[in-house]
Amino acid sequence: MGSQEIEVFTVCRADAIERGGAKGFNLSRIDESGESRPFLIVVVRTFGNDYHGYVNRCPHDGVWLNIGSGEFFSSDRAFIRCGRHGATFEIDSGFCIDGPCNGKALEPVALAVVDGDVCLCGVKLVEDDGFPDPFEDSDETMDIMIHPD
């Protein structure tokens, strides 16, 4: 039986999401043709300290779940809620229990907590190397001399 490596990318520190909270992330993934495409996800941390991840897209209309108010939850914070049409989803399964997409579910993403980081598993992301360090080549800095006139 051969082993197959699974892509694992750090999304955020585990403590960056408060218990009972959720946070959206705008990522980019590589599609089947090798092109970079937007990949919006939401990571929910339960009060029991479990993490659940879903594509940030309502199955009814394809809009972001947090469209409008920016919130991911119902008013009692017991469910994930779509801000456009009010569809309500179970946090632990993503299953829609009320609203226009009743019976459908959010698309799950595989998460793992590794060394205090929330990691996305099995999705090829575009890695962001950040901004280049302008002082990386410090051997070629210019000397400036100031002469009084």
Side-chain angles (χ1 to χ4, degrees):
M1 185 159 113
S3 66
Q4 184 177 350
E5 286 189 29
I6 296 175
E7 298 279 347
V8 177
F9 291 90
T10 299
V11 175
C12 69
R13 294 288 304 159
D15 59 5
I17 303 171
E18 65 187 40
R19 285 179 188 242
K23 192 169 188 178
F25 295 92
N26 297 327
L27 309 172
S28 294
R29 72 172 162 188
I30 306 294
D31 68 9
E32 299 81 30
S33 67
E35 297 291 319
S36 172
R37 299 281 182 235
F39 186 56
L40 283 66
I41 67 169
V42 57
V43 177
V44 180
R45 182 179 180 188
T46 66
F47 286 107
N49 210 29
D50 293 320
Y51 291 82
H52 301 282
Y54 301 101
V55 173
N56 187 359
R57 184 177 57 237
C58 180
H60 166 246
D61 200 3
V63 297
W64 306 321
L65 296 166
N66 57 326
I67 196 167
S69 70
E71 289 293 317
F72 287 103
F73 294 110
S74 58
S75 58
D76 62 1
R77 299 183 71 83
F79 299 96
I80 298 171
R81 183 178 178 276
C82 175
R84 164 112 1 128
H85 295 109
T88 306
F89 304 88
E90 294 177 336
I91 291 173
D92 60 343
S93 70
F95 188 74
C96 182
I97 58 167
D98 189 35
C101 54
N102 196 8
K104 295 183 181 177
L106 299 173
E107 182 182 340
V109 295
L111 299 177
V113 177
V114 180
D115 295 330
D117 292 326
V118 175
C119 299
L120 180 64
C121 307
V123 176
K124 177 72 174 163
L125 296 180
V126 176
E127 293 190 59
D128 181 10
D129 294 330
F131 295 104
D133 183 358
F135 302 108
E136 184 176 11
D137 238 353
S138 61
D139 293 343
E140 296 183 22
T141 57
M142 182 171 52
D143 292 329
I144 299 174
M145 296 183 73
I146 300 175
H147 298 282
D149 286 334

